[in-house]
Amino acid sequence: MRSEKPKLGQNFLVSPAAQMQIVESLGDIAHATVVEIGPGKGAITTLLLPRAARLLCIELDHALAAAAQARWAAAANLTIVNASVLDADLAQLAWPGDPRSAAEKLVVVGNLPYYITSDILLHLFAQASAIDRAVVMVQEEVADRLAARPGTRDYGVLSATTQLHAKVEKLFTVPPEAFDPPPNVHSAVVRLTMRPRFEELGVPREPFLRFTQRIFQQKRKTLANNLKAAGFASDAIQKALADSQLAPAVRPEEVPVEQAAQIYNVLTSNAKK
Ligand code: SAM
């Protein structure tokens, strides 16, 4: 059967209004180094170039990257990198070998290739300390999961992981007709203002992200059962839930990250005893 999915998630944005709305959602970029993920044929790039102090574009498709190089060969504030964003260390690309990089934060923008949306977001979160904000187009269903509040149907591991790294705003929706070729889904633009919460919650990033994945391992099971499956002892789980004022049968999607952090701290301090 022929796949209807375009190569490399290439649904080009052809609506001038949506292109402009995305750029305006970045706010003031006059002094910023902007990173565009997947410039494609340059729909958003064209608007960014006169507005941003510097623009760094990362495009996996060799032909598209070469075409962009040729088109903007004279643009002094533009760098095009032919690579996968998933392999890119953004701060290193923006300021090669420059230790001052920590002082300035990047602004990221992209009409993302949908086949790797989650991977790209996780890659950005891993580099959150180098990023101020990101405005990204994703499938609307993903946007709803990113922004979902605990206790709602859409809340899950992607919501918790995202909200541990960023303030999430779902800005506007974009219909399939705004793209060429049109995708099979509706899209939405989301702004992620990076502000990692690990320090405030008193949890170490990597272990707590792994713990978050485990508590959502089986979304239909109770939190207690997922914790048991992760190897924690029943009595320790009961104590952790009671300490966090959670009912014994609470489900993972009902647990805000603050309480998940509390449970993590009780369980791991028990394990150390
Ligand atoms: N920005 C353009 C627009 O809005 O019309 C193109 C958007 S299109 C949805 C996604 C773009 O990401 C394509 O140009 C595709 O080649 C590129 N892409 C796909 N996978 C990528 C990856 N791993 N790293 C960088 N770019 C990628």
Side-chain angles (χ1 to χ4, degrees), residues 6-15 19 22 36-45 57-62 64-65 81-88 109-116 120 137 178-180:
K7 178 189 136 196
L8 297 179
Q10 291 175 349
N11 298 98
F12 299 106
L13 186 61
V14 292
S15 155
Q19 294 161 359
I22 290 175
E36 186 184 7
I37 300 171
K41 296 180 184 172
I44 303 169
T45 322
C57 295
I58 305 172
E59 172 58 61
L60 180 59
D61 185 303
H62 181 72
L64 289 176
V81 179
N82 181 202
S84 170
V85 66
L86 298 179
D87 297 329
V109 61
N111 168 15
L112 297 187
Y114 293 170
Y115 74 109
I116 44 168
I120 293 178
M137 175 105 74
F179 301 83
D180 179 30

Side-chain angles (χ1 to χ4, degrees), residues 214-234 237-238 241 247-252 263 267:
R214 284 162 146 194
I215 65 179
F216 283 102
Q217 197 80 42
Q218 299 227 30
K219 219 181 147 184
R220 288 158 77 197
K221 281 194 176 177
T222 62
L223 174 64
N225 279 336
N226 278 314
L227 290 172
K228 254 181 241 168
F232 294 104
S234 295
I237 296 170
Q238 275 170 21
L241 292 182
V250 69
R251 305 217 161 249
I263 294 169
L267 287 176

